[in-house]
Every structure is written in C-alpha cells, then in structure tokens.
Amino acid sequence: MDGSEINSNNNLPSAEILNCPKCRSALRVTGFLLTKNIACRKCHGIFDHSNGNLKLIRVFKKEKYNNIPIGSKGTIDGKKYEVVGLANYREAHTPYAWDEYILFSPIHGYSFLSVFEGHWNYFEQTILRPKREGNDVNLNGDTYRIFNRYKKKTDYALGEFPWDISENSNTITEYIYPPYIIVHDKGTNEETWLLGKYITPKEIKEAFNLQTYLPQQKGIGSTQLHSSAASLSKVKHLTLYVVLSITVLQIIFSFSAKEKVVFKDQFTIPVNKTGIVSPPFELEKTLFGKSNLQVELIAPVHNSWMEADITLVNDLSGEEFHFEEGVEYYSGVEGGESWSEGQNYTDLTLSSIPAGKYHLNIFPAIPDGGVGYFQLTLTQDVSMLSNYFIILLIALIFPVALWISVSSFEAQRWMNSDFSPYHTE
C-alpha cells in the first residue's frame, strides 16, 4: 500500500508497526512503501526501508529536542497532516542549524515544516519548474531572488523519511519572494523543487494545538514580511495621486491668482519719530472670500538698518493685523577683498485677510543718521510656492517613513545572505 488509493478523510489506514533490528523498539511506519528511511528514537539508528526490510545505515550520537512531537496531528491550509519525522540539519562548515518536520497525509502526501532561529516556513513539493533568470528564478510571473546556496549535513533524525536522510552531498539553493520561497534540493541522483511560504509561530501552535513554547524568533526571517510591506505598494500609488493632485491644484491657484498691487507709496520718516497713517486702499473679494497680502518694504540703507512696526486696520470692522518688517545692509573691504551682508528690501505675506477697506499705521525706527524714507508695496492674492512645498512635505512624511522602515527591514533580512544586494565593496 502506498496511500495513493486513499481519496477521502474517512477510513484512513493504520500505521504499520515494525521492530527496530538494533534495540527491538517499536517503529511506527505511516508512509508505508513511500518511507525510505526510519530513525529509531531509542537507539538513534537510521535504517533503510526502501525494499520493505530494515537495514542499519548510521547511528546518531545525540538526541534533539523536538518542538512538535512525532505523531502530532494538525491542519495547515485545510489539509490534515501527521508529524512523522524530524531532521536537524546544519549548513556544512558553518554553525547554522535548523529543524525540519516531515508531515504526511495519505491523501496529500508529504509536506514539510522548517524552522530557523524561530522563523517557520511551510513547504510542499511542486511539479512546476521555475524559469531561470540569471541567478534568480521566475514562477508564474514572480521573480524569486537567490538568497542562499549551501550543502546540508544531517546532525540528527527521528521518525520516517521519504528520502535517504543520511545523504550529505545535496546542494540546496533558496530563492525568495517574501512571504514565499522556492527551494531546489539537488542530490547525486535526483532533484526536488519545494514551494514554501512563511508561517507564524501562532499559526503553528494553533495548527497542532501545542501548549509548549516554540523557539524565540531572532532577527528577520528570510521570508518574513514587514508588517506594512503589503501596503507599501498601495501607499506609493496613493502618494503619487496625492502629489499630482496637490501639484494640479497649485498650478490652478497660480494661474488664478490676481497678484494685484492694491497699494504702493513712499514715506518720509518723521524727524520726531511719530507714526504715519497711510492713505486708504481696498482689498477685493476673491473666490474664497479671503486672500493673502504680500507686503514689500524697500529702504536705501547702507551700513545701516531700518525697521517698521506696522498695523493693517480694517476701516469698517476695526480688525487689526500687526506685523514687523526690517532691512539692513552692510558692506566694506577687508584684506583687499570686498564684502557685503544683508539687503535693502524684504517682504512678508499675511494670510486670510478679509476683503474691505484698509489703512496702515506705521511706526518706523532708524539709527541716528539713518535713511530718510522708505517704500511700501502691497500685493493682493499672490501665488505662494511655500504653501505648496509645506503641504507636499506633510504628504510625503508617512510614505517616506514607511519606505525607510521597509528598506531597513529588507537590509536586515539580507544580512545572512551571500547574495545580498546591499553588500558594498
């Protein structure tokens, strides 16, 4: 019986019981003729079962603790399995080791659970052959990037296996497309392709109803997904849409801005330093009811300064908008080289000023011997690029932060790979 005739979850066959030729312990065989090797829990011997008999191949010197006991039953992706074997592997000539659990179903055949540094992957054999793209492979239009290539060595085994568990010459190549992974296992006489995916410790515990603690996770798993990685692509598209929308609105506002000079006058600074009241002027009503107002101050200062305390007063409501402006300009020659600092003009922009009639109350200040006059120019509804860049910056904060987080996560993932795209010479 090889299990191929089983086509329902009912009336599943019972396991075959054999006696260990070395210690006479009972050996449970679930995979029937599919089982090639059996490892005894008591004497740690590995036996060949390929012809139905048991022949000793190797004896392990130590026993490995198994997080999922042999014989445990569970369901993954709607498929019912029994844990029939455990192998502890090590990458040749390195300290990197991991566990692999062999799952068997008379209906679905063999599947596998692999755990390295607390990160789990669930594998199934696949008849699909990925298309090679240089060092990478492509399956169903998705590119799986090469992550690792090594020879594995078996340090310990327990239970039953559908292959020669003592074979240590296989070359393993891993290709990742998180949360998915393709593993190419190439031996002397055969090769196997496995398609796997990341599975959380919580899912493992729930699948097999485990009450024990599973290995604590270390670092980033080769197929582990960033918690927001799936939404990064959506955020990129949304960000592009927002940036385009903001840009289009800025262009519309720029073309629709009136940029009307509503007041321009030159003032003589009083000797007694009293205030100045400007002639009245009017701000027209705009599409949004309110508008900005640019105030430009020009004074012919040289090696001097000039400041003005200014209040914009609404003649009807009495509402006031207070602000200060100042200019300074210095120049000279030092060490045979000329220098200059400052300028004789400045401007600022007041926002959300209601329409109406206004005047200015101006209190200028100058040092002794300073300039005698200054000029003010007021322009209503000017196009402001500063607002555009501020809004753009705010809109980019979250997507940029998310991109940095995901990029850092990816860099940590590839730290254990000899094929990392982040390595620099």
Side-chain angles (χ1 to χ4, degrees), residues 17-177:
I17 304 298
L18 302 177
N19 291 323
C20 174
K22 189 171 184 293
C23 67
R24 308 308 298 171
S25 297
L27 300 177
R28 191 167 181 266
V29 185
T30 307
F32 304 99
L33 295 181
L34 296 176
T35 301
K36 291 186 177 180
N37 281 182
I38 303 175
C40 179
R41 174 190 293 272
K42 186 174 182 180
C43 67
H44 311 307
I46 299 180
F47 300 91
D48 177 62
H49 183 257
S50 57
N51 60 2
N53 298 317
L54 296 177
K55 179 182 177 181
L56 182 65
I57 302 174
R58 178 182 172 186
V59 176
F60 289 109
K61 296 181 180 179
K62 62 177 181 178
E63 181 173 358
K64 177 73 171 60
Y65 172 77
N66 52 320
N67 295 283
I68 309 178
I70 303 297
S72 298
K73 296 181 180 181
T75 302
I76 301 179
D77 283 354
K79 301 174 183 178
K80 295 183 178 180
Y81 292 106
E82 180 177 345
V83 179
V84 298
L86 163 67
N88 177 242
Y89 293 115
R90 177 164 47 88
E91 184 178 336
H93 312 299
T94 76
Y96 299 122
W98 68 97
D99 290 337
E100 188 172 288
Y101 293 86
I102 289 76
L103 313 178
F104 179 72
S105 164
I107 299 174
H108 305 290
Y110 287 99
S111 293
F112 313 93
L113 283 174
S114 175
V115 54
F116 174 68
E117 294 188 339
H119 297 280
W120 295 78
N121 284 289
Y122 165 64
F123 290 95
E124 293 181 294
Q125 285 185 309
T126 177
I127 59 174
L128 299 177
R129 290 296 177 265
K131 179 182 178 182
R132 294 193 178 275
E133 297 179 344
N135 280 333
D136 305 327
V137 296
N138 187 291
L139 182 65
N140 297 328
D142 297 320
T143 297
Y144 289 70
R145 299 175 62 182
I146 186 169
F147 187 82
N148 214 346
R149 180 179 287 130
Y150 54 88
K151 289 186 179 296
K152 68 178 182 181
K153 179 181 179 181
T154 306
D155 279 352
Y156 182 74
L158 176 66
E160 56 186 281
F161 304 87
W163 64 83
D164 185 358
I165 193 65
S166 64
E167 176 64 58
N168 288 322
S169 61
N170 288 21
T171 298
I172 310 299
T173 307
E174 299 174 355
Y175 306 89
I176 65 169
Y177 176 66

Side-chain angles (χ1 to χ4, degrees), residues 382-395:
V382 297
S383 174
M384 294 187 62
L385 281 176
S386 59
N387 288 346
Y388 167 71
F389 287 114
I390 291 172
I391 296 173
L392 191 63
L393 178 62
I394 294 173

